[in-house]
Amino acid sequence: MNKLKILTFSSYYVPGYKGGGPVRTIENMVAHLDDSLEFWIVTRNHDLGDTIPYHSIQHEVWQRQGNAYVYYLPAEKLNLLGIRKIIKSTPHDIVYLNSFFDCRFTIFPLLYRYLSRDHSTPFVLAPRGEFSSAALEIKKIKKKLYIAISQFLRLSKNLTFQASSEFEANDIEKALGIDKSEIKIASDLPSVNSPSPASLNLQPSHQTEESSLRVIFLSRISPMKNLDFAISILAETTCSLQFDIYGPKEDLPYWAHCEQLLSSLPDHIQYNYCGTVMPDDVREIFSVYDLFLFPTQGENYGHVIAESISAGTPVLLSDRTPWRSLEQDNLGWVLPLGTPQSFARVIDAFSKTTPQEKQEKRRHILDFSEHKLCAPESIIQNRELFVSLLPQNK
Protein backbone atom coordinates (compact mmCIF):
# COMPACT_ATOMS: atom_id res chain seq x y z
CA MET A 1 0.00 0.00 0.00
CA ASN A 2 1.35 3.42 -0.96
CA LYS A 3 1.84 5.82 1.92
CA LEU A 4 -0.05 9.10 2.00
CA LYS A 5 2.26 12.02 1.24
CA ILE A 6 1.88 14.91 3.69
CA LEU A 7 3.51 18.12 2.43
CA THR A 8 4.34 19.82 5.74
CA PHE A 9 5.34 23.44 6.34
CA SER A 10 7.08 24.36 9.58
CA SER A 11 9.36 27.27 10.46
CA TYR A 12 11.85 24.94 12.14
CA TYR A 13 12.69 21.26 12.09
CA VAL A 14 15.55 18.97 13.04
CA PRO A 15 18.51 19.23 13.30
CA GLY A 16 17.14 22.44 14.87
CA TYR A 17 15.84 22.27 18.42
CA LYS A 18 15.45 25.87 19.67
CA GLY A 19 11.96 26.12 18.17
CA GLY A 20 10.71 24.02 21.06
CA GLY A 21 7.46 22.06 21.05
CA PRO A 22 6.42 22.28 17.38
CA VAL A 23 9.75 20.74 16.30
CA ARG A 24 9.29 17.87 18.74
CA THR A 25 5.63 17.45 17.77
CA ILE A 26 6.38 16.96 14.08
CA GLU A 27 9.42 14.77 14.75
CA ASN A 28 7.37 12.52 17.05
CA MET A 29 4.47 12.38 14.59
CA VAL A 30 6.83 11.31 11.82
CA ALA A 31 8.25 8.54 14.02
CA HIS A 32 4.87 7.20 15.21
CA LEU A 33 3.06 7.32 11.85
CA ASP A 34 5.82 6.13 9.54
CA ASP A 35 3.93 2.92 8.73
CA SER A 36 1.18 4.70 6.76
CA LEU A 37 2.18 8.36 6.23
CA GLU A 38 5.15 9.92 4.47
CA PHE A 39 6.06 13.42 5.60
CA TRP A 40 7.72 15.87 3.19
CA ILE A 41 8.74 18.82 5.31
CA VAL A 42 9.61 22.35 4.14
CA THR A 43 11.52 24.41 6.68
CA ARG A 44 14.24 27.02 7.23
CA ASN A 45 17.88 26.11 6.72
CA HIS A 46 18.82 27.39 10.19
CA ASP A 47 17.62 27.20 13.79
CA LEU A 48 15.59 29.76 15.75
CA GLY A 49 17.68 32.83 16.52
CA ASP A 50 20.54 31.73 14.24
CA THR A 51 21.65 33.12 10.90
CA ILE A 52 24.24 30.46 10.08
CA PRO A 53 22.77 27.50 8.14
CA TYR A 54 22.97 23.94 9.44
CA HIS A 55 26.31 22.53 8.32
CA SER A 56 25.00 18.99 7.81
CA ILE A 57 22.32 19.63 5.17
CA GLN A 58 21.96 20.51 1.50
CA HIS A 59 19.95 23.54 0.46
CA GLU A 60 16.89 23.46 -1.81
CA VAL A 61 16.86 19.72 -2.46
CA TRP A 62 14.74 17.01 -0.90
CA GLN A 63 16.83 14.87 1.43
CA ARG A 64 16.19 12.09 3.92
CA GLN A 65 16.17 13.23 7.57
CA GLY A 66 15.21 10.34 9.82
CA ASN A 67 11.89 8.96 8.56
CA ALA A 68 10.96 12.15 6.68
CA TYR A 69 12.06 13.99 3.56
CA VAL A 70 13.08 17.57 4.26
CA TYR A 71 13.58 20.63 2.04
CA TYR A 72 15.69 23.36 3.69
CA LEU A 73 15.02 26.86 2.35
CA PRO A 74 17.45 29.79 2.61
CA ALA A 75 16.03 33.16 3.66
CA GLU A 76 16.05 34.63 0.12
CA LYS A 77 13.70 31.87 -1.12
CA LEU A 78 11.14 32.32 1.67
CA ASN A 79 8.62 34.15 -0.49
CA LEU A 80 5.31 33.41 -2.15
CA LEU A 81 6.95 32.38 -5.44
CA GLY A 82 9.31 29.99 -3.66
CA ILE A 83 6.47 28.37 -1.71
CA ARG A 84 4.31 28.16 -4.86
CA LYS A 85 7.12 26.39 -6.72
CA ILE A 86 7.49 23.75 -4.00
CA ILE A 87 3.76 23.06 -3.77
CA LYS A 88 3.39 22.73 -7.55
CA SER A 89 6.49 20.56 -8.02
CA THR A 90 6.05 18.17 -5.07
CA PRO A 91 3.45 15.38 -5.40
CA HIS A 92 1.34 15.25 -2.25
CA ASP A 93 -2.05 14.18 -0.91
CA ILE A 94 -2.45 16.69 1.94
CA VAL A 95 -0.84 20.01 2.96
CA TYR A 96 -0.08 20.33 6.68
CA LEU A 97 0.53 23.78 8.25
CA ASN A 98 1.94 24.26 11.75
CA SER A 99 0.96 27.77 12.78
CA PHE A 100 -1.86 30.18 12.07
CA PHE A 101 0.14 33.42 12.11
CA ASP A 102 3.39 32.36 10.39
CA CYS A 103 3.74 34.56 7.30
CA ARG A 104 6.09 32.40 5.26
CA PHE A 105 5.09 28.88 6.22
CA THR A 106 1.32 29.32 6.60
CA ILE A 107 0.08 32.56 5.05
CA PHE A 108 2.01 31.99 1.80
CA PRO A 109 0.63 28.43 1.27
CA LEU A 110 -2.88 29.68 2.07
CA LEU A 111 -2.47 32.62 -0.33
CA TYR A 112 -1.28 30.21 -3.02
CA ARG A 113 -4.43 28.14 -2.50
CA TYR A 114 -6.59 31.29 -2.50
CA LEU A 115 -5.05 32.67 -5.71
CA SER A 116 -5.12 29.34 -7.53
CA ARG A 117 -8.79 28.79 -6.55
CA ASP A 118 -7.94 25.12 -6.09
CA HIS A 119 -9.44 23.60 -2.95
CA SER A 120 -9.21 20.00 -4.14
CA THR A 121 -6.19 19.21 -1.95
CA PRO A 122 -7.06 19.01 1.76
CA PHE A 123 -5.25 21.49 4.02
CA VAL A 124 -4.75 20.82 7.75
CA LEU A 125 -3.67 23.60 10.12
CA ALA A 126 -2.36 23.03 13.65
CA PRO A 127 -2.24 26.36 15.55
CA ARG A 128 0.04 24.90 18.27
CA GLY A 129 -1.57 26.85 21.12
CA GLU A 130 -1.62 30.21 19.33
CA PHE A 131 -5.28 30.83 20.25
CA SER A 132 -4.93 30.56 24.01
CA SER A 133 -5.92 33.79 25.74
CA ALA A 134 -2.35 34.45 26.90
CA ALA A 135 -0.88 33.84 23.43
CA LEU A 136 -3.40 36.16 21.77
CA GLU A 137 -2.38 38.99 24.10
CA ILE A 138 1.13 39.00 22.58
CA LYS A 139 1.15 41.37 19.55
CA LYS A 140 -2.60 41.57 20.05
CA ILE A 141 -3.47 44.23 17.45
CA LYS A 142 -1.42 42.58 14.71
CA LYS A 143 -3.08 39.23 15.36
CA LYS A 144 -6.59 40.68 15.41
CA LEU A 145 -5.90 42.41 12.10
CA TYR A 146 -4.67 39.20 10.47
CA ILE A 147 -7.67 37.23 11.75
CA ALA A 148 -9.99 39.88 10.28
CA ILE A 149 -8.20 39.81 6.89
CA SER A 150 -8.18 36.00 6.91
CA GLN A 151 -11.91 35.92 7.55
CA PHE A 152 -12.58 38.54 4.85
CA LEU A 153 -10.60 36.53 2.26
CA ARG A 154 -12.04 33.28 3.61
CA LEU A 155 -8.57 31.76 3.86
CA SER A 156 -9.96 29.19 6.30
CA LYS A 157 -12.54 27.92 3.84
CA ASN A 158 -12.37 24.10 3.58
CA LEU A 159 -9.54 24.12 6.10
CA THR A 160 -9.36 21.44 8.80
CA PHE A 161 -7.96 22.59 12.14
CA GLN A 162 -6.08 20.23 14.42
CA ALA A 163 -6.49 20.74 18.16
CA SER A 164 -4.36 18.80 20.60
CA SER A 165 -7.11 18.76 23.24
CA GLU A 166 -10.71 19.77 23.88
CA PHE A 167 -9.35 22.89 25.59
CA GLU A 168 -7.51 23.97 22.44
CA ALA A 169 -10.55 23.15 20.28
CA ASN A 170 -12.57 25.58 22.39
CA ASP A 171 -9.86 28.25 21.99
CA ILE A 172 -9.87 27.85 18.18
CA GLU A 173 -13.66 27.96 17.98
CA LYS A 174 -13.82 31.09 20.15
CA ALA A 175 -11.01 32.97 18.36
CA LEU A 176 -12.12 32.27 14.78
CA GLY A 177 -15.85 31.78 15.19
CA ILE A 178 -15.75 28.58 13.16
CA ASP A 179 -17.96 25.53 13.51
CA LYS A 180 -16.70 22.77 15.80
CA SER A 181 -17.06 20.32 12.91
CA GLU A 182 -14.07 21.98 11.24
CA ILE A 183 -11.84 21.05 14.19
CA LYS A 184 -10.41 17.57 14.76
CA ILE A 185 -8.77 16.61 18.04
CA ALA A 186 -5.51 14.70 17.72
CA SER A 187 -3.25 15.05 20.73
CA ASP A 188 0.47 15.63 20.33
CA LEU A 189 2.56 12.49 20.62
CA PRO A 190 5.49 11.96 22.98
CA SER A 191 8.86 10.69 21.84
CA VAL A 192 9.12 7.04 20.80
CA ASN A 193 12.51 6.86 22.55
CA SER A 194 11.61 6.71 26.23
CA PRO A 195 14.50 5.66 28.46
CA SER A 196 14.28 2.62 30.68
CA PRO A 197 14.25 3.33 34.43
CA ALA A 198 17.65 1.65 34.70
CA SER A 199 19.18 4.25 32.36
CA LEU A 200 18.15 7.15 34.60
CA ASN A 201 19.62 8.38 37.83
CA LEU A 202 17.20 6.85 40.34
CA GLN A 203 19.46 7.32 43.34
CA PRO A 204 20.97 10.80 42.98
CA SER A 205 23.83 11.35 45.38
CA HIS A 206 22.45 14.77 46.41
CA GLN A 207 19.45 13.25 48.18
CA THR A 208 20.11 13.35 51.91
CA GLU A 209 17.84 14.49 54.72
CA GLU A 210 19.60 17.87 54.91
CA SER A 211 19.89 18.53 51.16
CA SER A 212 18.39 21.50 49.38
CA LEU A 213 15.44 20.74 47.16
CA ARG A 214 16.64 20.76 43.55
CA VAL A 215 14.14 22.61 41.32
CA ILE A 216 14.44 22.96 37.54
CA PHE A 217 12.86 25.33 35.01
CA LEU A 218 13.44 24.12 31.44
CA SER A 219 11.88 25.96 28.51
CA ARG A 220 12.36 28.83 26.10
CA ILE A 221 12.83 32.02 28.08
CA SER A 222 9.89 34.12 26.93
CA PRO A 223 6.82 35.68 28.62
CA MET A 224 4.57 32.75 27.63
CA LYS A 225 6.67 30.35 29.68
CA ASN A 226 6.34 32.58 32.77
CA LEU A 227 9.81 32.34 34.30
CA ASP A 228 9.30 35.62 36.18
CA PHE A 229 6.23 34.12 37.88
CA ALA A 230 8.28 31.03 38.79
CA ILE A 231 10.88 33.28 40.44
CA SER A 232 8.18 35.16 42.36
CA ILE A 233 6.85 31.80 43.60
CA LEU A 234 10.27 30.83 44.92
CA ALA A 235 10.57 34.16 46.72
CA GLU A 236 7.57 33.06 48.83
CA THR A 237 9.10 29.73 49.89
CA THR A 238 10.89 29.10 53.17
CA CYS A 239 12.80 25.91 52.36
CA SER A 240 16.41 25.64 51.24
CA LEU A 241 16.52 25.02 47.48
CA GLN A 242 18.67 25.08 44.38
CA PHE A 243 16.96 26.59 41.31
CA ASP A 244 18.49 25.86 37.88
CA ILE A 245 17.22 27.48 34.68
CA TYR A 246 17.71 25.87 31.25
CA GLY A 247 16.60 27.18 27.87
CA PRO A 248 17.45 29.61 25.07
CA LYS A 249 17.10 33.32 25.87
CA GLU A 250 14.48 33.96 23.21
CA ASP A 251 13.44 37.36 24.61
CA LEU A 252 16.48 39.27 25.93
CA PRO A 253 14.58 42.17 27.58
CA TYR A 254 12.39 39.63 29.36
CA TRP A 255 15.49 37.72 30.51
CA ALA A 256 16.96 40.97 31.87
CA HIS A 257 13.76 41.41 33.89
CA CYS A 258 14.07 37.84 35.20
CA GLU A 259 17.72 38.39 36.14
CA GLN A 260 16.69 41.38 38.21
CA LEU A 261 14.14 39.24 40.06
CA LEU A 262 16.68 36.47 40.60
CA SER A 263 19.13 38.86 42.20
CA SER A 264 16.50 39.74 44.81
CA LEU A 265 15.78 36.16 45.91
CA PRO A 266 16.31 35.41 49.61
CA ASP A 267 19.51 33.74 50.81
CA HIS A 268 17.97 30.28 51.23
CA ILE A 269 17.67 30.04 47.43
CA GLN A 270 20.68 29.43 45.19
CA TYR A 271 20.20 29.81 41.44
CA ASN A 272 22.05 29.23 38.16
CA TYR A 273 21.39 29.81 34.49
CA CYS A 274 22.66 26.62 32.85
CA GLY A 275 22.24 27.43 29.13
CA THR A 276 20.43 25.54 26.41
CA VAL A 277 19.97 21.77 26.31
CA MET A 278 20.28 19.42 23.36
CA PRO A 279 17.08 17.36 22.95
CA ASP A 280 18.87 14.04 23.59
CA ASP A 281 20.06 15.30 26.98
CA VAL A 282 16.75 16.62 28.34
CA ARG A 283 15.58 13.51 30.19
CA GLU A 284 18.94 12.81 31.76
CA ILE A 285 19.04 16.38 33.07
CA PHE A 286 15.50 16.11 34.46
CA SER A 287 16.42 12.89 36.25
CA VAL A 288 18.75 14.65 38.72
CA TYR A 289 16.13 17.16 39.88
CA ASP A 290 13.44 16.73 42.51
CA LEU A 291 10.84 19.00 40.90
CA PHE A 292 10.05 20.65 37.57
CA LEU A 293 8.49 24.08 38.16
CA PHE A 294 6.57 25.18 35.05
CA PRO A 295 3.85 27.81 35.64
CA THR A 296 3.38 28.34 31.90
CA GLN A 297 0.76 30.77 30.60
CA GLY A 298 -0.38 28.22 28.05
CA GLU A 299 0.58 25.02 26.22
CA ASN A 300 -1.41 23.18 23.61
CA TYR A 301 0.45 20.04 24.72
CA GLY A 302 3.75 20.64 26.53
CA HIS A 303 6.41 18.19 25.37
CA VAL A 304 8.70 19.30 28.16
CA ILE A 305 6.07 18.12 30.67
CA ALA A 306 6.04 14.66 29.06
CA GLU A 307 9.84 14.60 29.12
CA SER A 308 9.92 15.43 32.83
CA ILE A 309 7.43 12.64 33.50
CA SER A 310 9.43 10.21 31.35
CA ALA A 311 12.43 10.97 33.60
CA GLY A 312 10.42 10.36 36.75
CA THR A 313 10.51 14.00 37.87
CA PRO A 314 7.26 15.37 39.34
CA VAL A 315 5.81 18.55 37.83
CA LEU A 316 4.38 21.65 39.50
CA LEU A 317 2.28 23.13 36.72
CA SER A 318 -0.20 25.91 35.96
CA ASP A 319 -3.76 24.99 34.96
CA ARG A 320 -3.27 26.24 31.40
CA THR A 321 -2.23 22.99 29.72
CA PRO A 322 -4.06 19.74 28.86
CA TRP A 323 -2.25 18.02 31.76
CA ARG A 324 -5.14 18.52 34.19
CA SER A 325 -4.94 15.14 35.98
CA LEU A 326 -1.37 15.30 37.35
CA GLU A 327 -2.53 15.08 40.97
CA GLN A 328 -5.05 12.34 40.21
CA ASP A 329 -2.29 10.30 38.58
CA ASN A 330 0.23 11.16 41.36
CA LEU A 331 2.57 12.85 38.87
CA GLY A 332 2.64 16.32 40.41
CA TRP A 333 0.39 19.31 41.05
CA VAL A 334 -1.76 21.65 38.93
CA LEU A 335 -2.57 25.10 40.34
CA PRO A 336 -4.18 28.31 39.03
CA LEU A 337 -1.84 31.22 38.31
CA GLY A 338 -4.01 33.48 40.45
CA THR A 339 -2.74 31.83 43.63
CA PRO A 340 1.09 32.09 43.67
CA GLN A 341 1.20 31.40 47.43
CA SER A 342 -0.30 27.95 46.83
CA PHE A 343 2.65 27.09 44.55
CA ALA A 344 5.04 28.11 47.34
CA ARG A 345 3.15 25.98 49.87
CA VAL A 346 3.41 22.90 47.64
CA ILE A 347 7.17 23.41 47.24
CA ASP A 348 7.69 23.84 50.98
CA ALA A 349 5.62 20.74 51.74
CA PHE A 350 7.41 18.65 49.12
CA SER A 351 10.78 19.74 50.49
CA LYS A 352 9.88 18.07 53.82
CA THR A 353 9.37 14.60 52.26
CA THR A 354 12.17 12.12 52.87
CA PRO A 355 14.60 10.98 50.15
CA GLN A 356 12.88 7.59 50.23
CA GLU A 357 9.46 9.17 49.65
CA LYS A 358 10.83 11.20 46.74
CA GLN A 359 12.28 8.07 45.20
CA GLU A 360 9.01 6.17 45.60
CA LYS A 361 7.24 8.98 43.78
CA ARG A 362 9.90 8.93 41.04
CA ARG A 363 9.47 5.19 40.54
CA HIS A 364 5.70 5.58 40.31
CA ILE A 365 6.07 8.34 37.69
CA LEU A 366 8.51 6.22 35.67
CA ASP A 367 6.07 3.32 35.76
CA PHE A 368 3.27 5.62 34.55
CA SER A 369 5.54 6.88 31.77
CA GLU A 370 6.40 3.40 30.61
CA HIS A 371 2.82 2.15 30.45
CA LYS A 372 0.46 5.11 30.00
CA LEU A 373 2.27 8.17 28.61
CA CYS A 374 1.53 7.38 24.97
CA ALA A 375 -2.00 6.05 24.67
CA PRO A 376 -2.62 3.95 21.51
CA GLU A 377 -5.78 5.96 20.80
CA SER A 378 -3.64 9.11 20.40
CA ILE A 379 -1.70 7.48 17.55
CA ILE A 380 -4.97 6.41 15.93
CA GLN A 381 -6.35 9.98 16.27
CA ASN A 382 -3.29 11.41 14.52
CA ARG A 383 -3.44 8.92 11.68
CA GLU A 384 -7.18 9.48 11.20
CA LEU A 385 -6.63 13.26 11.15
CA PHE A 386 -5.11 12.80 7.69
CA VAL A 387 -6.62 9.56 6.37
CA SER A 388 -10.20 10.74 6.98
CA LEU A 389 -9.71 13.72 4.65
CA LEU A 390 -9.22 11.63 1.53
CA PRO A 391 -12.29 11.48 -0.73
CA GLN A 392 -12.72 7.70 -0.45
CA ASN A 393 -12.82 7.94 3.36
CA LYS A 394 -15.35 10.76 3.67
Side-chain angles (χ1 to χ4, degrees):
M1 183 179 94
N2 291 331
K3 295 182 181 181
L4 294 183
K5 290 183 169 59
I6 315 299
L7 182 57
T8 303
F9 289 88
S10 177
S11 281
Y12 302 100
Y13 191 62
V14 294
Y17 62 94
K18 297 176 185 176
V23 177
R24 300 279 76 78
T25 296
I26 300 169
E27 184 182 20
N28 294 346
M29 183 180 278
V30 167
H32 280 285
L33 303 180
D34 181 55
D35 60 332
S36 54
L37 306 180
E38 194 171 81
F39 288 85
W40 293 64
I41 301 167
V42 184
T43 189
R44 284 182 168 88
N45 69 348
H46 59 83
D47 207 353
L48 176 66
D50 294 345
T51 55
I52 300 172
Y54 305 119
H55 63 82
S56 58
I57 56 97
Q58 296 176 279
H59 298 181
E60 299 182 76
V61 294
W62 287 107
Q63 59 214 270
R64 192 82 175 181
Q65 181 71 258
N67 292 330
Y69 294 92
V70 186
Y71 194 98
Y72 295 95
L73 272 172
E76 63 270 16
K77 296 298 177 70
L78 287 174
N79 52 49
L80 182 57
L81 289 177
I83 297 298
R84 173 183 178 273
K85 178 182 176 183
I86 291 171
I87 295 175
K88 287 182 68 68
S89 65
T90 306
H92 57 277
D93 299 295
I94 293 170
V95 174
Y96 186 33
L97 310 175
N98 287 274
S99 168
F100 184 79
F101 297 108
D102 189 312
C103 176
R104 291 167 176 80
F105 290 92
T106 295
I107 298 176
F108 285 165
L110 289 178
L111 280 176
Y112 162 76
R113 187 180 71 146
Y114 172 78
L115 295 171
S116 67
R117 304 292 182 186
D118 181 7
H119 287 196
S120 60
T121 301
F123 272 57
V124 178
L125 192 152
R128 306 294 177 212
E130 290 174 330
F131 292 121
S132 71
S133 56
L136 286 172
E137 284 298 313
I138 300 171
K139 300 180 181 177
K140 181 178 181 178
I141 295 175
K142 188 176 180 181
K143 288 178 179 178
K144 281 190 171 182
L145 179 62
Y146 172 63
I147 290 173
I149 294 172
S150 172
Q151 290 173 332
F152 177 75
L153 296 177
R154 302 186 71 192
L155 293 183
S156 297
K157 181 182 178 182
N158 297 332
L159 192 63
T160 298
F161 285 86
Q162 177 194 1
S164 64
S165 67
E166 189 68 40
F167 306 111
E168 187 178 20
N170 292 335
D171 288 341
I172 296 169
E173 183 183 20
K174 180 180 176 182
L176 298 181
I178 62 175
D179 192 89
K180 209 65 172 285
S181 64
E182 299 174 51
I183 306 169
K184 292 183 178 293
I185 296 176
S187 61
D188 291 2
L189 299 170
S191 171
V192 296
N193 301 313
S194 293
S196 66
S199 71
L200 294 170
N201 190 357
L202 282 177
Q203 299 293 340
S205 60
H206 71 273
Q207 289 197 349
T208 66
E209 296 290 348
E210 297 79 22
S211 291
S212 297
L213 190 72
R214 297 201 70 189
V215 180
I216 180 174
F217 177 95
L218 194 158
S219 190
R220 292 179 292 116
I221 296 173
S222 70
M224 274 296 293
K225 306 306 178 181
N226 225 8
L227 174 59
D228 57 343
F229 185 87
I231 298 167
S232 69
I233 289 167
L234 298 181
E236 299 290 327
T237 62
T238 58
C239 64
S240 173
L241 64 83
Q242 173 68 44
F243 182 49
D244 290 342
I245 301 163
Y246 294 83
K249 299 173 184 175
E250 183 178 294
D251 187 322
L252 290 177
Y254 177 72
W255 170 243
H257 165 63
C258 291
E259 279 190 303
Q260 197 169 27
L261 295 176
L262 286 166
S263 67
S264 301
L265 284 173
D267 291 340
H268 65 266
I269 300 172
Q270 303 298 313
Y271 64 87
N272 287 304
Y273 172 67
C274 303
T276 57
V277 184
M278 296 300 293
D280 291 344
D281 299 329
V282 168
R283 289 192 188 90
E284 185 177 352
I285 287 171
F286 269 128
S287 72
V288 297
Y289 288 90
D290 301 308
L291 181 68
F292 174 34
L293 175 58
F294 193 44
T296 175
Q297 295 204 55
E299 304 291 323
N300 73 304
Y301 176 68
H303 284 282
V304 71
I305 301 165
E307 287 173 313
S308 181
I309 290 168
S310 72
T313 303
V315 183
L316 178 51
L317 188 65
S318 72
D319 61 354
R320 300 188 182 182
T321 82
W323 299 82
R324 305 294 175 97
S325 62
L326 285 185
E327 291 189 65
Q328 179 184 323
D329 296 327
N330 195 21
L331 307 175
W333 304 265
V334 178
L335 297 170
L337 291 178
T339 59
Q341 293 81 9
S342 59
F343 283 82
R345 285 195 293 269
V346 166
I347 294 171
D348 281 334
F350 187 55
S351 73
K352 293 181 174 66
T353 58
T354 66
Q356 292 72 27
E357 288 170 330
K358 290 185 180 71
Q359 290 308 93
E360 287 172 12
K361 192 173 187 71
R362 183 178 291 277
R363 290 182 186 280
H364 164 77
I365 295 171
L366 282 169
D367 183 67
F368 178 95
S369 169
E370 188 174 355
H371 296 103
K372 299 180 182 178
L373 190 57
C374 185
E377 55 266 28
S378 297
I379 299 174
I380 294 170
Q381 276 183 339
N382 276 267
R383 185 179 291 109
E384 284 300 306
L385 169 68
F386 299 106
V387 172
S388 64
L389 296 177
L390 297 184
Q392 65 268 29
N393 294 310
K394 287 190 177 180

